[in-house]
Amino acid sequence: MIGDDWTDPKDELARDRRPSPDSPRRVAVVTGTRAEFGLLKPVMEAVRDRPELGLLVIAAGSHLIQPAETFREVKKHFEVADSVPMQTVGRTGRWADVEALGKGVARFGRSFERLAPEWVVVLGDRIEAFAAASAASVGGIAVCHIHGGDRAEGVADEAMRHAITKLSHLHLAASEQSADRIRRLGERPEHVRIIGSPAIDGLDRVEAMGDDAFAELGSPEIVFLKHPIGRPDEAEEHAASQALEALGSLRTLALHPNHDPGREGILRALLGAGSNVKVVKHLERSQFLALLRRLGTSGGAIVGNSSCGLIEAAALGLPALNIGARQRGREHGSNVVHCASDADAIREGLDAARSLTPPFGHPFGDGVAGVRAAAALSEIDPRDTALLRKHCAY
Ligand code: UDP
């Protein structure tokens, strides 16, 4: 039987890797998609600002799918220590995601072996975060998970998010409810901290988009951002077309969906939309947030199923219409109206959403999550065996 004095060889390995006791603690922050880069940015900045921490940014997965626009955004703000390609261009669908996940685990393993981080930081529920957390956990490196414990169905997000919790050693939750769920999954209370959502960091300083930039985007009344939920392309195309039709003649800015299975169908619906719909691939987060702020002051709304309708939009004073099941169960502010996917429900929901008036409340903290995350990474010793040797708390 293994006694209390037993030391996992992996713990030893983690200890051996530390370059020297007084060199900065190496913190690898993994970003895999635009969906979490904006949230991780304040965390990365706060890590960079602390002399006792050394930031290693790893860009992976969806960022690297050509034309790799969001990878350029990462490189604009940070030096990238390594990149971990996962997806293959042109191969989409659930089985392609499985392959990408496997490739990611192997490649993250090599990257961590080479970079020797002491902390690996992941956020959310995507395959990139799951691959990185798996590799770090098996490799004996402490994993810090931000935004764990949330609920939101996504494609396979709910399962991956809670699996990442079980692979992680430090949990930085966005809300009281999420922290509670993490503890109920058997994680030790002393390793669970509530930091708020880093999605809220800096939003109080976001100014409404100026007239010229707004006009260039077609002076929209609606931002449409709808991701697939894993159905075949035809079903996704049909659902997205119905939603766009329900928006009638409202001036709409539609953004490309993420790379989940069903994306091609949504892209087809965007191509076939009326002349009131302007399609843009992606806006840099600063521009995107400025646009949401502007819409909030001019009676607009965000429509679709993006997490930012439920998380950021409340703090930016913007009503959100959340369509269908993708975000089912997610906490949100008082700016959100939920509706089913048919055109009538969307029309009705949109009227209800646009009649909501700010200020809106939300459960995601006070906008200093990044600084709190960096403080936790500095205060908690990633080589502590009590942290690395996981036990269920009950
Ligand atoms: N976002 C962005 N530019 C865009 C669209 C979204 O920067 O053109 C950011 C947005 O601020 C939010 C995140 O992407 O932080 C939301 O991600 P997305 O809707 O892609 O995915 P989800 O979180 O719903 O999976």
Side-chain angles (χ1 to χ4, degrees):
M1 183 172 158
I2 292 172
D4 272 350
D5 56 347
W6 176 78
T7 313
D8 187 331
K10 289 196 302 253
D11 301 345
E12 290 297 334
L13 206 65
R15 214 172 280 132
D16 289 348
R17 284 203 202 96
R18 185 139 196 221
S20 91
D22 46 359
S23 61
R25 181 176 286 166
R26 297 161 73 82
V27 179
V29 184
V30 173
T31 174
T33 76
R34 98 172 156 200
E36 33 75 331
F37 175 61
L39 282 68
L40 282 168
K41 191 166 163 271
V43 177
M44 293 173 180
E45 284 164 350
V47 167
R48 191 170 57 185
D49 287 349
R50 282 186 167 254
E52 75 280 17
L53 300 179
L55 175 68
L56 298 163
V57 172
I58 303 181
S62 302
H63 281 308
L64 306 172
I65 301 174
Q66 289 306 329
E69 264 178 78
T70 59
F71 183 43
R72 278 198 283 278
E73 200 175 330
V74 178
K75 283 196 292 191
K76 200 169 108 185
H77 295 281
F78 300 97
E79 191 184 318
V80 174
D82 203 0
S83 54
V84 174
M86 293 167 59
Q87 293 86 347
T88 306
V89 180
R91 287 234 323 119
T92 56
R94 284 178 173 243
W95 296 114
D97 274 2
V98 176
E99 208 172 307
L101 174 63
K103 195 164 142 190
V105 176
R107 294 212 177 194
F108 273 117
R110 262 184 264 152
S111 179
F112 297 153
E113 189 176 18
R114 186 171 70 77
L115 295 173
E118 293 168 271
W119 279 115
V120 167
V121 180
V122 298
L123 185 147
D125 50 28
R126 314 300 300 174
I127 56 171
E128 290 87 349
F130 183 61
S134 302
S137 164
V138 174
I141 298 173
V143 179
C144 166
H145 186 204
I146 301 175
H147 250 290
D150 295 2
R151 291 186 63 196
E153 268 181 33
V155 178
D157 305 16
E158 186 84 356
M160 278 193 292
R161 187 180 321 109
H162 301 317
I164 296 170
T165 291
K166 297 314 297 183
L167 295 166
S168 300
H169 307 88
L170 172 63
H171 310 278
L172 303 180
S175 75
E176 216 41 86
Q177 275 189 26
S178 292
D180 188 44
R181 248 177 245 119
I182 293 168
R183 289 187 291 263
R184 281 155 60 199
L185 281 163
E187 295 302 292
R188 298 196 162 271
E190 62 272 29
H191 298 150
V192 182
R193 290 191 182 188
I194 300 168
I195 61 165
S197 172
I200 306 299
D201 287 23
L203 294 194
D204 54 349
R205 295 190 297 275
V206 171
E207 306 256 355
M209 181 175 266
D211 291 342
D212 290 350
F214 189 61
E216 226 169 88
L217 294 174
S219 307
E221 296 158 279
I222 300 292
V223 165
F224 182 80
L225 179 50
K226 191 168 186 298
H227 302 296
I229 54 171
R231 296 172 294 194
D233 287 344
E234 297 67 37
E236 294 291 354
E237 181 180 357
H238 178 71
S241 300
Q242 273 211 320
L244 288 165
E245 204 184 295
L247 298 178
S249 57
L250 289 168
R251 287 186 307 279
T252 299
L253 181 79
L255 293 154
H256 276 199
N258 68 16
H259 290 272
D260 279 342
R263 167 185 165 89
E264 297 307 316
I266 294 187
L267 289 178
R268 285 205 293 266
L270 296 184
L271 279 178
S275 58
N276 60 313
V277 179
K278 183 176 170 68
V279 180
V280 166
K281 272 191 199 154
H282 166 76
L283 294 176
E284 278 206 15
R285 182 167 155 97
S286 55
Q287 256 189 307
F288 181 72
L289 297 176
L291 173 63
L292 298 193
R293 172 75 85 199
R294 168 116 192 196
L295 285 186
T297 59
S298 56
I302 178 164
V303 174
N305 58 12
S306 164
S307 65
C308 62
L310 283 79
I311 301 179
E312 288 104 319
L316 292 165
L318 181 66
L321 178 64
N322 176 52
I323 304 172
R326 182 170 187 263
Q327 298 292 346
R328 183 147 49 207
R330 187 184 282 287
E331 275 182 274
H332 56 77
S334 57
N335 65 318
V336 180
V337 171
H338 300 280
C339 71
S341 308
D342 59 280
D344 285 344
I346 293 170
R347 269 189 284 271
E348 223 172 89
L350 189 58
D351 287 343
R354 292 180 84 195
S355 68
L356 298 175
T357 45
F360 301 117
H362 67 77
F364 298 112
D366 50 3
V368 283
V371 168
R372 286 201 192 102
L377 295 165
S378 169
E379 282 159 30
I380 298 171
D381 181 359
R383 295 161 303 135
D384 179 5
T385 30
L387 181 86
L388 287 168
R389 286 166 68 178
K390 289 197 60 169
H391 296 283
C392 221
Y394 52 80

